[in-house]
Amino acid sequence: MSRFESAFNAQSAVAEERRAAMLARIAQLRALEDRAAQASARSRPVFDKRGQLLPRERIGLLLDPGAPFLLLCSLAGYLQDTKDPERSVPGGGILAGIGFVAGVRCMVVASDSGIEAGAIQPRGLEKILRVQEMALENKLPFVHLVESAGANLTKYRVEGFVLGGSLFRNLARLSAAGLPVITVQHGSGTAGGAYMPGLSDVVIMVRSRSRAFLAGPPLLMAATGEVATEEELGGAEMHTSVSGLGEYLAEDDRQALGIAREVVQRTGWALPARAAAPSPALPADDLLALMPPHHREPVDMREIVARLVDASELLEFKPLYGAATLCVQARIGGHAVGIVSNNGPIDVAGANKATHFIQCMCQLGHPLIYLQNTTGYMVGKDSEQAGMIKHGSKMIQAVTSANVPQITIQCGASFGAGNYGMCGRGYAPRFLFSWPNAKTAVMGGEQAARTMQIVAEAGMKRRGITPDPEQRQAQFDQIVKVFDDQSDAFFTSGLVLDDGVIDPRDTRAVLSLCLDTCAEAAARQPRSMQFSVARM
């Protein structure tokens, strides 16, 4: 492989403009994440009075100090709880990420109980279902820090109740797959929430704080007339000494987390750290200035690739054929990978080239990285006659059938079927992250508005109606706004259509951690069973 020679001028006026735009988006991202942290921290007086730790403090004590932690879906629920961007609190009431507990790579999930007492929100449910699937696919122990008021009955939706059963089903699937499910019950688990510890392999409870019952005292009285205290119904001491729901009784949150660390350590799944790989020869800071804030300017994605791969060394596959589609072999964090990206629309040659390359990487067993930056497949008479549909379909078939881990980063535009051919969410990549400037839509807003305008005006012409210029422009602007609003990376991430929005400068670290996770999953051989571990 040869080292890439960059032609990028990081001091140019264009670069400075792009850098400023990206930094502004990153600042907005961090402000949204901080908004959720601050909303949770406002409950500190209540937590302090009860002798409890806040959810983020719990995660901090559980994880190994100084080890990487990949936060997942931090914007889940953004603009879904309210349409006001100044008031929306992202996160879905759940904190989740991949990190290390006593040297073991784990999926860590915590109720953000400082917000609405940890009540599960609609997008929070989607978030936890997503990270459960990630744990299953990547063979990760599932560590769950539970303190949840369950569903908010004032916002009851029947679909939340019905689909919420998948949360418990996935706990059983994880256990049956040989992946330990370890729960620290920090607070309440009522009704369906009681099945979180019930479907765990190991449960740690906190004296005077943990609660788990199918019906709390108010519901019990309403349903049967029976009067009982919370401790009698489902307290920590009762469950660890009478019902057997809990294995360990801790005196406080700190001790409970210490016990959880010891339980994870005793899996024996800790692995030695990988040897360090050579860093890119080109600075990661340039990634702030390489991508325009919109999709109208061309970008040489080789410049992006060279700032992500080891030693900035790459081998380009078929560089003269289908040049708008970029296929590269390289290493990231020591892992051999194939990278597919776009320097323009995907044409017939580009689709065939990508199909060939994807199959070659599957033959070699190398993970595939997709760096999305495309307005879609090429359209027009020449493309249609050349068989764009069938050749694009071959590329989609290759992505669908690939038998190696696939990881997608949405760097720029992700429009039309290009989203599909470049392994968008619908094609189940192992991981998918977005840059703050990314746009995802069936097409650009102006394209959509112009398309609708042409169709509407043709219909008016057939009926002999003359379009009103003001009304015509108002409709155009409205369609553009709808598309632009919904294509925004923060909006799509709020819908859990990615696994998180990341700072472009962190892309190499994120990819390295994901590739390490995939490699560890391939090497790990859990002892799967016909059934999950049943509580005795």
Side-chain angles (χ1 to χ4, degrees):
M1 294 188 186
S2 58
R3 180 168 294 180
F4 179 78
E5 296 295 329
S6 176
F8 177 65
N9 179 5
Q11 280 71 49
S12 69
V14 170
E16 289 297 334
E17 182 182 346
R18 292 178 178 180
R19 183 179 291 108
M22 185 69 81
L23 286 171
R25 290 289 283 175
I26 293 169
Q28 186 181 355
L29 168 64
R30 298 300 176 229
L32 288 172
E33 292 174 335
D34 191 53
R35 182 185 297 172
Q38 289 179 10
S40 184
R42 282 196 285 272
S43 297
R44 179 177 290 281
V46 176
F47 278 69
D48 287 347
K49 185 177 180 180
R50 297 189 306 219
Q52 289 185 296
L53 298 170
L54 286 166
R56 285 163 179 78
E57 293 172 332
R58 292 169 182 167
I59 289 177
L61 283 175
L62 177 72
L63 295 171
D64 295 349
F69 179 61
L70 179 58
L71 190 65
L72 298 169
C73 306
S74 65
L75 295 188
Y78 177 59
L79 295 179
Q80 304 306 303
D81 53 344
T82 172
K83 298 303 179 185
D84 184 353
E86 300 303 317
R87 292 176 50 241
S88 181
V89 178
I94 298 285
L95 299 166
I98 297 173
F100 292 85
V101 179
V104 180
R105 191 187 305 268
C106 297
M107 179 65 74
V108 175
V109 177
S111 311
D112 197 347
S113 48
I115 300 174
E116 296 185 2
I120 297 176
Q121 302 171 22
R123 298 300 173 183
L125 174 60
E126 291 186 33
K127 176 175 176 175
I128 194 169
L129 294 179
R130 169 60 184 155
V131 300
Q132 285 178 328
E133 289 290 346
M134 293 169 80
L136 191 62
E137 188 171 24
N138 292 288
K139 301 179 185 176
L140 298 172
F142 192 83
V143 184
H144 201 180
L145 310 183
V146 177
E147 183 175 33
S148 173
N152 186 337
L153 296 182
T154 65
K155 301 177 181 177
Y156 171 76
R157 299 293 297 267
V158 68
E159 65 268 27
F161 157 67
V162 174
L163 299 177
S166 299
L167 188 162
F168 310 124
R169 172 178 178 266
N170 285 341
L171 294 176
R173 293 173 67 206
L174 286 160
S175 178
L179 304 171
V181 178
I182 300 160
T183 290
V184 180
Q185 190 77 27
H186 289 279
S188 181
T190 306
Y195 287 104
M196 286 192 248
L199 287 159
S200 298
D201 302 327
V202 176
V203 177
I204 302 151
M205 292 190 158
V206 180
R207 190 188 302 275
S208 302
R209 294 305 330 155
S210 298
R211 298 282 187 271
F213 27 58
L214 295 179
L219 179 57
L220 182 67
M221 179 177 286
T224 69
E226 184 179 355
V227 177
T229 66
E230 287 192 342
E231 179 58 40
E232 290 171 327
L233 277 176
E237 291 182 60
M238 188 280 285
H239 279 309
T240 53
S241 64
V242 179
S243 79
L245 181 65
E247 278 66 57
Y248 301 98
L249 179 63
E251 296 302 318
D252 57 22
D253 282 351
R254 291 178 182 274
Q255 186 183 20
L257 294 165
I259 294 171
R261 285 181 55 81
E262 186 171 355
V263 170
V264 174
Q265 182 184 39
R266 290 180 182 276
T267 62
W269 285 11
L271 292 175
R274 287 176 54 85
S279 299
L282 298 167
D285 276 358
D286 288 352
L287 295 172
L288 296 172
L290 278 160
M291 190 65 65
H294 48 72
H295 59 272
R296 299 183 191 90
E297 299 172 28
V299 176
D300 184 356
M301 293 299 290
R302 296 171 187 82
E303 298 281 2
I304 303 288
V305 172
R307 288 159 176 81
L308 301 178
V309 303
D310 296 357
S312 297
E313 293 179 347
L314 50 90
L315 176 64
E316 189 172 350
F317 180 78
K318 290 190 174 183
L320 303 180
Y321 180 79
T325 298
L326 179 66
C327 298
V328 168
Q329 286 183 268
R331 302 186 80 86
I332 296 178
H335 299 278
V337 297
I339 299 171
V340 183
S341 191
N342 323 101
N343 285 340
I346 305 169
D347 58 15
V348 167
N352 280 314
K353 170 179 167 177
T355 301
H356 185 176
F357 183 71
I358 290 167
Q359 292 176 341
C360 282
M361 293 303 100
C362 290
Q363 183 187 60
L364 296 173
H366 293 176
L368 283 155
I369 311 292
Y370 299 87
L371 303 178
Q372 291 192 358
N373 179 44
T374 184
T375 53
Y377 286 96
M378 185 68 77
V379 296
K381 184 175 66 176
D382 290 344
S383 292
E384 298 287 6
Q385 292 180 355
M388 187 70 261
I389 295 173
K390 68 178 184 181
H391 296 299
S393 296
K394 286 191 300 190
M395 181 177 172
I396 289 172
Q397 287 174 328
V399 170
T400 301
S401 303
N403 59 1
V404 295
Q406 299 184 97
I407 302 171
T408 300
I409 307 290
Q410 296 188 175
C411 300
S414 179
F415 290 164
N419 174 276
Y420 304 160
M422 289 294 293
C423 201
R425 177 61 116 197
Y427 289 78
R430 189 78 70 96
F431 299 95
L432 187 153
F433 296 94
S434 300
W435 283 7
N437 60 292
K439 301 285 186 183
T440 305
V442 67
M443 62 183 72
E446 292 183 5
Q447 279 180 296
R450 183 60 184 147
T451 300
M452 293 301 296
Q453 196 174 66
I454 291 170
V455 172
E457 289 179 0
M460 289 181 181
K461 185 177 180 180
R462 285 194 300 270
R463 297 193 301 272
I465 301 172
T466 303
D468 177 83
E470 290 186 7
Q471 185 180 16
R472 179 174 177 267
Q473 187 61 46
Q475 290 175 339
F476 184 92
D477 294 343
Q478 177 61 23
I479 293 172
V480 170
K481 185 178 187 308
V482 167
F483 271 75
D484 287 353
D485 287 351
Q486 293 193 46
S487 67
D488 184 84
F490 295 171
F491 185 87
T492 53
S493 195
L495 294 171
V496 199
L497 295 177
D498 62 23
D499 298 322
V501 179
I502 61 173
D503 185 326
R505 294 169 293 187
D506 295 334
T507 306
R508 175 179 164 83
V510 168
L511 287 173
S512 294
L513 193 150
C514 291
L515 289 165
D516 285 347
T517 301
C518 294
E520 189 173 316
R524 181 171 285 166
Q525 297 297 322
R527 299 176 64 85
S528 60
M529 304 181 294
Q530 183 178 1
F531 298 99
S532 55
V533 174
R535 307 206 59 77
M536 301 295 178

